Each structure stands twice: as C-alpha cells, then as structure tokens.
Amino acid sequence: MALDPGTIRDDFPIMCRQVHGRRLVYLDSAATSHKPRPVIDAVTDYYERFNSNVHRGSYQLAVEATEALEEARRKVANFIGASRDSEIIFAKNATEAINLVARTWGRANLGPGDPVVITELEHHANIVPWHMLTAELGIELRWIPIRSDGHLDLTDLDRLLDGARLLSVAAVSNVLGTINPIRQLADAAHEAGALMMVDASQYTPHLPTDVAEMGADFVAFTGHKMCGPTGIGVLWAKSELLEEMPPFLGGGEMILNVTKEGFSTAAVPWKFEAGTPPIAEAVGLGAAVDYLSGLGMEQVREHEVALTGYALRTLNQRYGDDITIHGPTEPAERGGVLSFEYKGIHPHDVAQVLDRSGVCVRAGHHCAKTLMRVLGCSATSRASMYVYNDESDVDALADALADADVFFIE
Amino acid sequence: MPDLEDLYREIILDHYRNPRNRGELDTPPATRAEGFNPLCGDEVIIYVQVADGVIEDIKFGGQGCSISQASSSMMSAAVKGRSVEELQQLNHAFRSMMSIEPDPDDPASTNGNSADVKLGDLEALKGVVKFPVRIKCATLSWHTLTQAIEEAQATS
C-alpha cells in the first residue's frame, strides 16, 4: 500500500509547529530527518524507567538497560540484513564509523603508496579521513570521476582499482541524489583484491538495505537521517574483518583485562565501543528502525520515486531554463535530493527568501567541496524529501522560489 | 520574522549587482589574502596595496552570496585611501554594529572609540544583525582584509 504522508505527518510532533506564521515545509531531510512520536517516546521511556549504565551493574535496572541496548543492536542488524548482531558497531555518527575504519583497519593494513579509491561525489566524511592517512602513512588517494549527468564515470575503473586496497563510495550522493552501482563496484573491487566500503548515510534511510546484496565489507550510516536520534551511527563490517582489526578508542567497556603492563580487548562488537555508549540514542534508533519497518522500506522508496518525479516535473515545467537541477533526470536513478540553481541567484539568498515562506532548504557546499568544483559552482540550494513530505511541499517550494525575483532580478 | 527588506536594502543590492573594486592587483607590490566561510563555501580574496601606512589601492575577488559580495564591495569603497589606523577604527565600529564582542587578544578590535567613527554606507548592513546566520557573510571580507594588511605590514 502506498504511503500516506498526511497520516505520517501526524506521527511527527514537529510538523505541528509554524515558522514565521506559516506551515513548516521541511525539505532538508538529507541533513537530518525529523523524529516520530515512537522514537521520542522510546528515548524518554529509557530515561524515565530504566536509565543505568550497561554491561556492568548486576541490578535489575542495569540488566534492563543492557538488554535494551543489545535489543537495539539486533533490530539494526535485522534491518540491514547483517548475519550476526555482533557485526553492528555503534558509533557517534557515520563520520565516526568511517574514521573508525580508517584509524583501525587502515592503520593496520595500509602503508606508503597503497591506493585507496574514492569518488568525486563523496561527502567530506569519506574524503578527509583518507587525506589524514595520506599525511600519516603516505597512502595514495585515487578518485573516480563523475560525468556531467551526475553518474560515476567508470571508464577507467580497472586502472583506478589496479593495486587498490580499498574502494570507499557513497551509495547515494548527498548533493546529486545519484544512486551508485554499489554491487558492480563491490564486485570490481573484490576482483582487484580490494575491500569495499559503502557510505550508506543517504541510502539506508530511503531504500531497503541488504549488506550481503551490496557485496560490501564495511557499511557506515547514521541514525539521525533515518528518524533516529542524533549521536548514534552504525558501522557494519564482516565478522572476520572486525576480529582482525585493532581497537579504536581505548577505555572502559572495550577491555577484557587491564594490568600495569597492558590490556587485552573485549570481544567484538564491544572492542570498538570504548566508554559508556549512547544508550538512549541506540534505543531511539531501535524504535526508528521499527517505525520505518512498519511503513515498509519498499513503500518508502516508492513514495520517494513518485515525489521526486513530481518535483522534477513541477520545477522544470514552471521555471524551464531559469532552473538547473543537478544530477540524474530519471527518478528511478536517484534519491529525493534536489540540488538546484535558480536564475543565478546565490543559494544563500534563495534559502533566505524561501525561509520567509516556512520552506526549509539547505544552501552551501553540502560538505562536498570537491564535487562543487566539478560542478563548477561554489554552492547549491538543496531540497531533500522524506516520508512526511508530499506534493504540497513541492508546490510550496515552487511558489516561494518566485519571491526571490523581487530582490535579485531587476 | 524580521523583514527581508531590512536585510536586502537597495544600497546592498546595488553593490551586489554593480560591485566596486572587483578585480586583482599585482603581488607584489600588493598583498593577497583568502578568506573562507566553511559553513557555506563563500570565498573572498582581498588584494591590498599599502604604502606609508595608507591603503593606496584595494581589489576583491571570490564568490559568495549577495551579503558577502556587497559587504566586500562596500568595504573596499570605504577603506580605499584611508590610513591603516582609520581602517582599524572602522573595522572595530563595523564589528560592534554586527554585535561582535571585541577580541581581547586582538588589539585592533579594541582600539579606538567606535562611537566617533562614521560608517556611512556601511550602516546599510545593520539589518544583517537580525539574521544571525548571515553575520559571518558580512564580516568575512573584513577578516580577510585584516589578514592582508597584516601580511603587508609583515613584509614591509
């Protein structure tokens, strides 16, 4: 059954509020999604009923808190088709998850001249950790270029992967919306003897995720873009890799034993979760996963394709040559992220004018400055959609856009 | 909500559409500094030529929103021909108008009495304060000019 955004909106308390006396038209879910009532309640419930530290106390509250954390891990594992719960590492966000791989697997396995391959459409979270390893270890960073239609240019893939140790790619571009051919890339990486990491931050909230189908070795995503709380992200990795990888941060929770001479590490996944984990946040993410599963990820994706198609048609029909929407033109080939330029007006000014009508879009480089250089601009306006958006939100965007003319078009 | 008309005053839009002193200067004798707003990707490049403590010429380049571009243009018009000392007073007065606290580590920001300084056209940017996210757009060119001047003084 198709999603009904009208009913879904009722699940999101923030949708009741007004902005500048207007209805909230939230089109920035690629930055962060709103939270449905069951997620907010789960976090509150945790603090009200069984707040305590995990994996330590022998009292009832601690047992319940530990069970809640591990239950959240099970839910996330099921949601992405992980074969074991212990393959789910809780991190602060996707950025930390990617850094975890760079700092542990990378440091243990990479040396001077070892190639790591990324693409021109990566978020800074999947660029800077590798730049840091270039500075530290002298690895070689290689870039898969993008074509003008927003898809990756795979013409030279074999050459780029020659000798590579890791291919790390966003499943969906946070700027262009491009859905990358992850399975094809993973197979090519493996054929070349490289591992495959997927930044699924813009994928897992919007499409059914199956890590086995992706063919990946590492998958990173974040909770707050998929109806969950901030402060909780996920690294999924194959068990055999996690077993071999050295720990990430050192401290409590990640140890088996500590002496004056040294330490031994706890089992996976706790080996990578030093310190008190984000328990309430993990519980909230578990509730978010339940919520999305209740909607059905196939339906979430169908809704996104339909709404993206409507948005592309509406904006193009209404504004023609006055608007440039970057990225693939086919809704089936893209997520619900629309980066656009309107009449040469700077995106900050566009976003400022839209705000007056309660329309929230992001303006800037979207943490993808290398991609901006390829696109030949310093910034874009970006409207991004989710389960609570419908055609009326697209119409509100289209209507408010014309207001920019008053100030900027003579 | 504050009116957008307070932000996009006609004089600001005029500087945005018809920027003054946009361009480059030869380095040397001029010095060059680049400023970035990491939040939004705005980039400002300032070229300044200082001789005997006077800003003889100034040009700016880069790309950004109407506020950052207009602020660069208005700043360049306001400081050209002024002494570095006068610039510091103007900078201080501009920063107070933008509701930025003086930086105790930066003597330039605490020097001078801003009440005596006439901001002239720069007053038009006062409305930016009502849109806190945009304050950095307005101050980016001033930060960058300060860097360029420091560079000029270090090399002279």
Side-chain angles (χ1 to χ4, degrees):
Chain A
M1 204 177 81
L3 292 192
D4 175 11
T7 313
I8 289 174
R9 270 174 138 85
D10 293 339
D11 294 337
F12 289 77
I14 206 168
M15 290 300 172
C16 293
R17 76 157 284 181
Q18 296 203 321
V19 178
H20 311 312
R22 308 284 287 267
R23 161 177 98 81
L24 174 66
V25 179
Y26 187 75
L27 293 171
D28 197 19
S29 293
T32 197
S33 71
H34 288 311
K35 321 304 172 199
R37 175 57 72 192
V39 169
I40 299 168
D41 285 350
V43 173
T44 306
D45 189 51
Y46 166 76
Y47 284 121
E48 287 185 350
R49 292 202 308 121
F50 46 98
N51 173 55
S52 55
N53 215 326
V54 291
H55 299 134
R56 288 183 196 115
S58 52
Y59 48 88
Q60 184 59 28
L61 249 56
V63 171
E64 289 178 17
T66 304
E67 175 50 31
L69 175 70
E70 297 307 323
E71 175 67 17
R73 201 187 304 275
R74 271 193 291 282
K75 287 177 179 177
V76 173
N78 284 335
F79 189 67
I80 63 169
S83 53
R84 297 180 201 181
D85 301 343
S86 61
E87 293 179 337
I88 302 298
I89 313 294
F90 285 132
K92 186 167 66 183
N93 43 39
T95 298
E96 189 178 75
I98 296 170
N99 274 272
L100 190 160
V101 173
R103 300 271 107 194
T104 64
W105 178 86
R107 272 182 174 165
N109 290 282
L110 299 176
D114 280 344
V116 168
V117 184
I118 60 174
T119 83
E120 285 182 339
L121 53 65
E122 298 310 310
H123 186 283
H124 292 164
N126 194 26
I127 298 174
V128 180
W130 309 115
H131 275 322
M132 290 166 76
L133 281 196
T134 304
E136 186 183 323
L137 302 174
I139 66 162
E140 181 199 345
L141 195 52
R142 295 180 183 167
W143 300 77
I144 299 175
I146 62 159
R147 304 189 311 223
S148 57
D149 64 0
H151 287 288
L152 294 176
D153 179 354
L154 301 178
T155 318
D156 278 340
L157 184 63
D158 289 347
R159 190 180 54 77
L160 287 166
L161 283 174
D162 185 30
R165 304 294 312 281
L166 178 74
L167 172 59
S168 188
V169 178
V172 174
S173 161
N174 71 312
V175 178
L176 303 173
T178 314
I179 299 176
N180 287 320
I182 290 302
R183 182 65 203 222
Q184 181 193 346
L185 290 166
D187 289 346
H190 291 147
E191 198 153 311
L195 294 183
M196 176 74 182
M197 176 148 78
V198 179
D199 173 0
S201 301
Q202 302 289 347
Y203 186 97
T204 301
H206 301 274
L207 291 96
T209 301
D210 185 316
V211 291
E213 262 179 38
M214 281 179 164
D217 299 292
F218 302 104
V219 176
F221 55 97
T222 194
H224 71 91
K225 294 188 202 293
M226 50 189 284
C227 297
T230 55
I232 182 85
V234 173
L235 172 68
W236 168 86
K238 284 184 179 158
S239 288
E240 52 268 36
L241 287 165
L242 291 172
E243 292 295 340
E244 292 299 318
M245 281 156 57
F248 180 38
L249 302 175
E253 186 87 4
M254 53 74 75
I255 51 93
L256 187 61
N257 190 26
V258 180
T259 64
K260 281 187 175 172
E261 286 70 38
F263 72 99
S264 54
T265 55
V268 171
W270 305 289
K271 178 168 93 173
F272 300 102
E273 296 180 354
T276 298
I279 310 165
E281 290 79 358
V283 169
L285 178 58
V289 158
D290 285 343
Y291 181 79
L292 289 172
S293 300
L295 296 180
M297 288 309 294
E298 297 284 353
Q299 286 72 22
V300 168
R301 174 60 184 158
E302 273 173 31
H303 171 67
E304 179 174 79
V305 172
L307 193 54
T308 303
Y310 179 77
L312 290 169
R313 282 195 305 279
T314 302
L315 292 169
N316 281 323
Q317 278 167 13
R318 181 129 167 208
Y319 292 110
D321 291 342
D322 287 336
I323 197 164
T324 305
I325 302 173
H326 296 289
T329 51
E330 277 300 315
E333 297 174 356
R334 60 179 300 150
V337 178
L338 275 71
S339 273
F340 61 91
E341 292 176 76
Y342 174 72
K343 290 190 178 179
I345 302 171
H346 194 277
H348 269 195
D349 296 315
V350 170
Q352 188 81 62
V353 171
L354 293 179
D355 174 60
R356 184 164 67 171
S357 299
V359 178
C360 312
V361 302
R362 176 87 178 268
H365 55 60
H366 318 297
C367 296
K369 286 192 88 165
T370 56
L371 175 57
M372 290 291 133
R373 272 179 216 113
V374 173
L375 295 177
C377 53
S378 64
T380 67
S381 307
R382 182 186 72 182
S384 53
M385 302 176 286
Y386 207 23
V387 291
Y388 33 68
N389 293 119
D390 62 14
E391 296 180 354
S392 71
D393 296 320
V394 174
D395 293 341
L397 166 66
D399 288 345
L401 207 47
D403 293 347
D405 294 8
V406 176
F407 297 100
F408 298 104
I409 305 298
E410 286 171 285
Chain B
M1 180 198 183
D3 281 344
L4 277 185
E5 285 72 12
D6 287 342
L7 181 67
Y8 297 130
R9 303 272 297 271
E10 195 45 51
I11 190 163
I12 294 175
L13 295 175
D14 176 55
H15 274 268
Y16 176 50
R17 293 178 190 132
N18 311 296
R20 329 293 200 260
N21 302 305
R22 197 170 168 90
E24 298 178 9
L25 294 174
D26 287 337
T27 54
T31 53
R32 176 184 188 276
E34 282 180 32
F36 297 94
N37 183 342
L39 292 175
C40 56
D42 282 0
E43 299 179 8
V44 167
I45 303 162
I46 301 284
Y47 299 86
V48 64
Q49 194 165 319
V50 180
D52 300 326
V54 172
I55 297 166
E56 290 196 325
D57 204 357
I58 178 168
K59 297 275 187 203
F60 79 96
Q63 43 197 346
C65 66
S66 59
I67 301 301
S68 82
Q69 295 295 293
S71 179
S72 299
S73 170
M74 293 165 87
M75 177 189 77
S76 70
V79 305
K80 196 167 168 177
R82 300 245 200 171
S83 70
V84 171
E85 199 177 323
E86 286 173 312
L87 161 67
Q88 282 168 352
Q89 288 169 353
L90 257 186
N91 189 12
H92 178 50
F94 185 76
R95 289 170 65 87
S96 347
M97 185 176 80
M98 289 288 132
S99 308
I100 297 169
E101 296 293 318
D103 176 358
D105 295 331
D106 175 13
S109 75
T110 48
N111 277 351
N113 181 353
S114 60
D116 303 338
V117 179
K118 296 276 179 288
L119 281 166
D121 282 0
L122 295 169
E123 289 266 7
L125 285 161
K126 197 171 184 174
V128 175
V129 180
K130 296 179 189 168
F131 299 82
V133 175
R134 305 300 291 273
I135 290 176
K136 284 202 160 110
C137 307
T139 54
L140 177 64
S141 54
W142 289 87
H143 281 295
T144 313
L145 175 59
T146 305
Q147 281 174 39
I149 296 279
E150 279 169 9
E151 182 90 358
Q153 289 174 327
T155 53
S156 64

